[in-house]
Amino acid sequence: MTTGGSDHRREPHATYRVQLHADFGFAQAAGILDHLRELGVSHLYLSPIGRAAEGSTHGYDWLPPPAVAPVLGGIYGLRELRADAAERGIGVIIDIVPNHTGVADALANPWFADLLANGARSPYAKYFDVDFSADNGADGAIALPVVAADGDLSPLEVDDDGHLCYYDHRFPIAAGTLGGTPQEVHSRQHYRLVPWNSGLIGYRRFFTVNELAGLCQEDPTVYSATHAWLRELIDEDLIDGVRVDHPDGLWDPQGYLRQLRADVGDHRLIYVEKILAPDEPLEPTLPVEGTTGYDQMRVIDALFVAPSGVIELAEVHERVTGVPGDSHWIESTERERKLATLENSFPTEHRRLVRALTHSDPDVDPSLMAEASAELIADLGVYRADYPTLRTRLVDTAAEIARRRPALAESLDLIVRRTASPGAATSRLAQTCGAVTAKSVEDSLFYRTARLVSAQEVGGDPANPAMSLAAFHSHNATRAAEWPLAMTASSTHDTKRGEDVRARIALLAQVPERWSLAVDRIWRATSIPDSLSCYFLLQNIFGVWPLDGRVSDALRSRLHDYAQKAMREAGLRTTWTEVDEQFETAIRDWIDDVTTGPIADILTGLVSRVSDSWKQEALARKAIAILGPGFPDIYQGTEWWDDSLVDPDNRRPVDFTQPSDHRKTAVVRAGLRLRADHAAAFGSEGTYRSLTAAGPAADHAIAFSRGDGRVARVVLITARFTHSLRADSARATAITLPTGRWRNALSGEIHTDAVDLATARARGPVAMLELLDT
């Protein structure tokens, strides 16, 4: 079996994502290849492999010049991994990070250090998106927000190596500028150390992470410098494709992806980490196989949320927290969070955007332009709207705001005109909008509400968390036709909680009354530091609760760590920069109370009551991800039950010695074998068709076929809302099968013509049927 190196593109059956770091490098990845082959994985999918900052656990803070990380095994280790994988018929996809580079230690990044030392005259000045304008708030110097809020520079020192030091921060000193006090030396530099909360920063960042500086990939020199190593990997046939991290952060993602496609060729794979709004299509002109699959994860998750329960959960949320948690509140609060985030976290980016929009035209009121652009960013509802298919969205949104706010009509009209073609105004609006959307929604709002936290996920839609069967099948048919080779994510290194945790939390919509009673009992029995915070945390605690009810010290410690991150991200009672130790201690104490003694029995009882339905629906979700349109991306360890929460919890070491006959592993293995045996049914020309279910449990039945041409080859039958699925209703509900004899790949049973839902699922919650003959 070939894995690249020719003009033939090998279509994936499944990727398997591993997180590389110093303790799990190429050699350790090679050690699990036999396990991946047994599962049926076609491609090993590696987190960033470039040389990164010392001690990095993720690799997204890579350092120039780009090269394969020695700590992972270096280029020789990668070659060995590639050869070992190829022997087993497994390809290799790597994660690349074009948007930014690590600058936490300025001296460790030679490009950034040269920029700081030489300013605009540095050959690397064009590598970074730096604001050298005289009105940048730092008199044209590069603002570095590392100083205490009072702006006191007295701690500055010059060390024996000739570096300017502020506590543990070290910075280069320009030639010929030594002499006098450290403060005087500082005043001669091309940078200015400013208070961390000044709202000033001299360069574009990854979101609000000052330690990750944005790169100007639109410049051919920068692109070449950052991709020469990738071309070498391709020339040596060491990879079969790439996953592009956060292309929406780039000046021109469309131009970037066209250049990348030219470099990797048509026979290698390109996937983009693109977060799509629920009503946003992926730009069809992009030269990629598809997204990394958060959009499909949202669809699968929504299918299993009972809409009637969502209404009741909104009532519980308001009663317990005093805050509405319904769709209207979520949508209005999202807009408010975007406006606040733009003002508080991205003032520098906003000023640069306004400057690009006004062109310093004295006839344009910059304050009105600032307000108009802020309103537009708050209302667009997508990361960036400069893709061709989204142009009408931008125009229509601007028109709607103008009707609502006539005083902004002239400024909005100017925005529309100046973003009609590529340029600074277009790119800065798009980049700022994406950063604001990510930080205000996923990293803020999604920690500030708790109607149903399983829907508060990357790419999720908590305002509308449920989906009908008809909408599900319609979406899948479109995806199969338009993006047949896109990824389907279930868990990733960025998800707020793992797939099995979300599956259990979603069950609360099927048992809202029992959940309400459990919450009331816990509220009466414990001291609540903050109702909203505790209600949010309680759902996550429920999601990871052990089936035997025994909460270990290790799990309790993980919950403490999760709570700290969640509460600081929410920013309601404590933050990363203004920590309320008393509140955080109270939250930890509350978690201890909930996870011990008689209070813990309340959660154990509820988990026990829904455990069977949880297992059924967790397996059903996995089966749909495997056999649905696109192909599954299996995150490390999720072939077994997984109770991961947000990073770094989801990067814990995986125990690969877990049993291979696990129920979830068996579903993965059977599904991937069917994909391999019937590759055409799942490939570029494969078809997707919903199957008719008739009877009292029709709304529970999920059934579809995958085929090549007009012949169905594989059928999936499973169920949702299983907690209320009655056996007699399942027996009275028939699914019409495509023509032929069908064998259940998991049980061996044979079916023809039609099968009732109970019989199809008699040997397990998932029936994977394979055509024997017509």
Side-chain angles (χ1 to χ4, degrees):
M1 189 179 293
T2 61
T3 56
S6 71
D7 292 334
H8 174 69
R9 177 180 63 179
R10 182 187 176 203
E11 296 184 350
H13 302 315
T15 49
Y16 191 96
R17 168 78 178 209
V18 295
Q19 295 298 115
L20 300 175
H21 47 81
D23 296 323
F24 194 93
F26 299 138
Q28 288 74 27
I32 66 169
L33 288 173
D34 287 336
H35 169 63
L36 302 190
R37 178 173 59 180
E38 180 189 350
L39 282 179
V41 168
S42 62
H43 289 76
L44 177 63
Y45 169 24
L46 304 175
S47 64
I49 66 172
R51 185 175 66 91
E54 185 175 355
S56 175
T57 59
H58 51 76
Y60 290 97
D61 50 355
W62 68 271
L63 299 173
V68 179
V71 72
L72 302 180
I75 187 64
Y76 296 106
L78 179 61
R79 288 169 180 156
E80 291 179 6
L81 175 60
R82 170 63 158 177
D84 290 345
E87 286 180 5
R88 295 162 174 82
I90 297 175
V92 175
I93 296 174
I94 64 170
D95 195 342
I96 61 172
V97 191
N99 180 67
H100 50 264
T101 180
V103 296
D105 179 355
L107 298 179
N109 188 314
W111 296 353
F112 196 67
D114 195 278
L115 167 69
L116 297 183
N118 298 296
R121 295 192 301 273
S122 168
Y124 299 104
K126 65 181 180 180
Y127 281 45
F128 299 92
D129 189 358
V130 180
D131 185 4
F132 286 114
S133 62
D135 61 347
N136 69 355
D139 299 322
I142 305 169
L144 303 177
V146 299
V147 178
D150 59 10
D152 181 18
L153 293 177
S154 61
L156 281 177
E157 297 178 351
V158 175
D159 68 13
D160 294 340
D161 296 320
H163 300 134
L164 189 65
C165 302
Y166 179 79
Y167 295 110
D168 57 346
H169 295 281
R170 299 184 306 153
F171 305 96
I173 292 176
T177 61
L178 280 171
T181 67
Q183 292 73 26
E184 290 170 335
V185 172
H186 170 256
S187 69
R188 303 184 191 111
Q189 302 311 307
H190 296 283
Y191 54 87
R192 290 290 179 272
L193 307 185
V194 299
W196 66 268
N197 61 348
S198 63
L200 299 176
I201 187 162
Y203 53 91
R204 180 175 61 82
R205 305 159 288 174
F206 171 68
F207 299 156
T208 56
V209 184
N210 297 344
E211 295 80 11
L212 297 175
L215 291 166
C216 297
Q217 295 291 351
E218 67 275 14
D219 187 302
T221 302
V222 179
Y223 180 91
S224 180
T226 53
H227 289 71
W229 78 297
L230 181 63
R231 290 169 175 155
E232 292 171 0
L233 297 183
I234 292 168
D235 289 343
E236 201 173 333
D237 190 31
L238 292 179
I239 62 171
D240 298 294
V242 297
R243 177 257 199 193
V244 182
D245 183 67
H246 190 47
D248 274 354
L250 300 173
W251 185 268
D252 176 18
Q254 299 170 79
Y256 169 82
L257 290 169
R258 287 192 293 270
Q259 180 60 60
L260 182 65
R261 174 57 75 188
D263 280 349
V264 306
D266 291 336
H267 60 288
R268 286 187 170 84
L269 305 161
I270 300 178
Y271 294 95
V272 287
E273 186 209 21
K274 167 72 176 159
I275 311 302
L276 296 171
D279 61 344
E280 176 188 4
L282 180 60
E283 172 57 46
T285 62
L286 293 181
V288 302
E289 273 61 49
T291 70
T292 54
Y294 289 111
D295 44 308
Q296 189 68 359
M297 182 176 76
R298 174 186 60 81
V299 169
I300 295 173
D301 281 6
L303 181 66
F304 288 87
V305 174
S308 60
V310 172
I311 297 171
E312 294 185 61
L313 289 175
E315 296 171 354
V316 176
H317 184 281
E318 186 164 10
R319 173 172 56 80
V320 172
T321 70
V323 179
D326 59 7
S327 300
H328 174 74
W329 184 92
I330 292 172
E331 290 167 350
S332 61
T333 304
E334 176 178 327
R335 187 176 182 282
E336 293 170 5
R337 291 306 308 148
K338 287 179 179 177
L339 291 171
T341 300
L342 179 63
E343 179 181 0
N344 298 325
S345 299
F346 296 98
T348 294
E349 291 81 356
H350 198 196
R351 284 192 295 270
R352 297 183 77 181
L353 167 59
V354 170
R355 192 186 308 147
L357 289 167
T358 61
H359 290 179
S360 301
D361 186 338
D363 294 330
V364 178
D365 185 336
S367 62
L368 286 177
M369 182 59 74
E371 191 172 358
S373 57
E375 291 287 324
L376 189 59
I377 288 170
D379 282 6
L380 272 172
V382 294
Y383 265 53
R384 59 188 297 159
D386 60 336
Y387 293 103
T389 53
L390 296 180
R391 176 63 184 173
T392 56
R393 187 183 190 120
L394 186 149
V395 173
D396 292 346
T397 303
E400 175 58 32
I401 297 170
R403 284 191 291 271
R404 190 176 72 237
R405 302 281 304 278
L408 300 179
E410 187 175 341
S411 296
L412 288 161
D413 180 66
L414 186 57
I415 293 174
V416 170
R417 287 188 282 114
R418 290 191 170 165
T419 59
S421 58
T426 300
S427 292
R428 294 221 178 276
L429 174 60
Q431 289 177 309
T432 306
C433 186
V436 168
T437 299
K439 292 307 296 180
S440 61
V441 179
E442 295 168 13
D443 294 339
S444 178
L445 174 63
F446 284 5
Y447 289 99
R448 289 182 170 214
T449 188
R451 175 171 63 173
L452 185 66
V453 302
S454 57
Q456 292 159 210
E457 190 51 80
V458 179
D461 185 13
N464 302 284
M467 176 173 281
S468 69
L469 280 170
F472 170 76
H473 288 306
S474 175
H475 167 88
N476 279 352
T478 299
R479 191 178 204 239
E482 297 180 355
W483 298 103
L485 299 184
M487 280 187 181
T488 295
S490 298
S491 300
T492 77
H493 62 289
D494 278 333
T495 43
K496 305 300 184 186
R497 48 198 68 80
E499 59 200 61
D500 298 329
V501 178
R502 296 197 313 276
R504 184 187 289 170
I505 294 172
L507 277 164
L508 295 178
Q510 297 182 46
V511 291
E513 297 90 352
R514 293 189 181 280
W515 170 247
S516 179
L517 291 172
V519 172
D520 288 345
R521 292 176 63 190
I522 292 170
W523 253 237
R524 288 194 300 268
T526 62
S527 177
I528 306 296
D530 178 78
S531 291
L532 178 56
S533 300
C534 291
Y535 189 64
F536 173 92
L537 291 172
L538 188 63
Q539 289 186 45
N540 290 282
I541 293 171
F542 171 78
V544 302
W545 198 262
L547 293 177
D548 62 7
R550 299 174 183 173
V551 178
S552 66
D553 289 342
L555 176 56
R556 191 172 292 109
S557 177
R558 288 171 52 209
L559 289 171
H560 288 168
D561 292 343
Y562 173 76
Q564 181 187 79
K565 178 170 182 173
M567 296 305 95
R568 291 182 182 181
E569 292 283 14
L572 293 171
R573 295 286 302 272
T574 186
T575 71
W576 292 107
T577 54
E578 297 181 48
V579 175
D580 186 331
E581 293 283 4
Q582 184 175 359
F583 172 70
E584 292 188 2
T585 298
I587 287 289
R588 287 193 295 272
D589 291 344
W590 178 80
I591 290 172
D592 291 345
D593 289 343
V594 170
T595 56
T596 55
I599 301 173
D601 294 339
I602 299 171
L603 283 176
T604 299
L606 184 58
V607 168
S608 177
R609 184 173 290 273
V610 301
S611 63
D612 185 58
S613 293
W614 165 63
K615 291 175 183 177
Q616 292 183 56
E617 299 196 10
L619 295 176
R621 289 165 177 245
K622 197 67 169 180
I624 293 170
I626 291 170
L627 296 181
F631 71 88
D633 171 36
I634 301 167
Y635 186 67
Q636 58 180 28
T638 60
E639 63 270 42
W640 299 285
W641 298 136
D642 177 64
D643 67 348
S644 292
L645 294 166
V646 74
D647 72 286
D649 192 66
N650 56 21
R651 296 200 301 267
R652 289 171 294 140
V654 175
D655 178 9
F656 287 102
T657 66
Q658 295 179 72
S660 60
D661 59 352
H662 188 279
R663 291 180 66 187
K664 194 176 179 188
T665 311
V667 168
V668 172
R669 190 165 48 243
L672 295 187
R673 185 189 63 76
L674 288 175
R675 289 191 70 104
D677 290 349
H678 303 280
F682 296 92
S684 300
E685 305 300 323
T687 61
Y688 175 98
R689 291 186 174 87
S690 62
L691 300 183
T692 300
D699 195 48
H700 293 266
I702 306 166
F704 58 81
S705 70
R706 305 302 309 277
D708 49 26
R710 295 188 176 184
V711 180
R713 300 291 180 183
V714 174
V715 164
L716 175 66
I717 301 174
T718 188
R720 63 177 185 161
F721 310 159
T722 55
H723 191 75
S724 61
L725 178 57
R726 293 173 45 175
D728 57 345
S729 295
R731 285 192 297 272
T733 300
I735 295 100
T736 303
L737 297 174
T739 302
R741 295 173 63 246
W742 296 87
R743 183 182 66 85
N744 189 329
L746 288 164
S747 68
E749 295 170 307
I750 305 296
H751 304 290
T752 58
D753 300 327
V755 60
D756 68 79
L757 186 59
T759 299
R761 300 174 69 249
R763 301 286 292 276
V766 171
M768 297 177 171
L769 309 184
E770 179 180 20
L771 179 66
L772 293 178
D773 56 64
T774 57

